[in-house]
Amino acid sequence: FEPETLTASLARPVRRVAGETPAPAHRGRVISFLGAKGGCGATTAAVNLGVALCAQSAGQERSVVVIDMDSPGGDLTAMLKLSPTYSLADIASNIHRLDMDLLNSMTVRHDSGLRCVAASVDDRQSGVVTPDQMAEIVGFLRDNHDEVILAGGGLGPVEMSAVNQAHLVHVVTTLGFLSLRKAQLMIGRLREFGVTGDALRVGVNHH
């Protein structure tokens, strides 16, 4: 995925769900990248977009944050050569006192300006985050950032509590038979969840 292609695609107008009430103007945009299966490049696409958006906003104080939804042990921070101390699970366990100071202390910042929420590192941690906590975290990020990017994940209750807040949902696939088949199934499930129209997009990774 070329960053220029992604950012150009995002400039297109979006219709999320028929009858949906528009979000308040001050709230940020949520963009999700879901892989049809492992290795399709959903996290790579999310990282490329995040870095590209930061580059576009140089000097404009545009805030971009990305959440690694592949718990446990996602690869987002490794791709950016970052060493996180805290994870999404730590933020969830402190949800009752979440503010920007706490968020900044529990996330890591890339040189591009992209702020990253690391995935939980093991199975015990990944079970800590509940759907309600995930929804609250994404809502808080929307209120305090211009762009919130969801990198990877599946269609389970926790992930969907975040994806349901997305303005754009990208299903990332390769041209392999199994990837295309799983992408088709995932698109069907997303439509059942109400992700329709221009909000649902398919990205094909040719690399």
Side-chain angles (χ1 to χ4, degrees), residues 24 26 48 55 64 68 73 86 88 90 96 100 104 107 120 125 131 149 160 166 182 184 188 198 205:
H26 69 278
N48 286 346
V64 185
D68 193 338
Y86 299 101
L88 179 63
D90 295 305
H96 58 287
M100 283 303 296
N104 289 336
T107 57
S120 305
Q125 277 194 326
I149 303 172
M160 284 307 303
K182 290 187 176 182
Q184 185 179 27
D198 293 333
N205 187 351

Side-chain angles (χ1 to χ4, degrees), residues 1-11 33 44-46 48-49 170:
F1 293 85
E2 297 298 329
E4 295 81 2
T5 303
L6 285 171
T7 53
S9 173
L10 297 180
F33 290 88
T44 301
N48 286 346
L49 176 63
H170 300 81

Side-chain angles (χ1 to χ4, degrees), residues 1 6 34 40 169-174 183 201-206:
F1 293 85
L6 285 171
L34 297 167
C40 285
V169 180
H170 300 81
V171 175
V172 182
T173 182
T174 64
R201 301 179 180 182
V202 178
V204 179
N205 187 351
H206 295 278

Side-chain angles (χ1 to χ4, degrees), residues 37-106:
K37 68 181 189 67
C40 285
T43 300
T44 301
V47 167
N48 286 346
L49 176 63
V51 172
L53 289 172
C54 288
Q56 281 188 346
S57 62
Q60 299 178 21
E61 298 184 0
R62 189 171 183 80
S63 55
V64 185
V65 61
V66 58
I67 308 175
D68 193 338
M69 303 290 289
D70 286 328
S71 293
D75 297 324
L76 188 149
T77 52
M79 286 181 181
L80 293 170
K81 298 181 180 180
L82 299 173
S83 300
T85 302
Y86 299 101
S87 72
L88 179 63
D90 295 305
I91 296 174
S93 66
N94 288 277
I95 195 74
H96 58 287
R97 61 188 188 96
L98 182 59
D99 58 19
M100 283 303 296
D101 288 336
L102 180 66
L103 180 75
N104 289 336
S105 72
M106 289 190 167

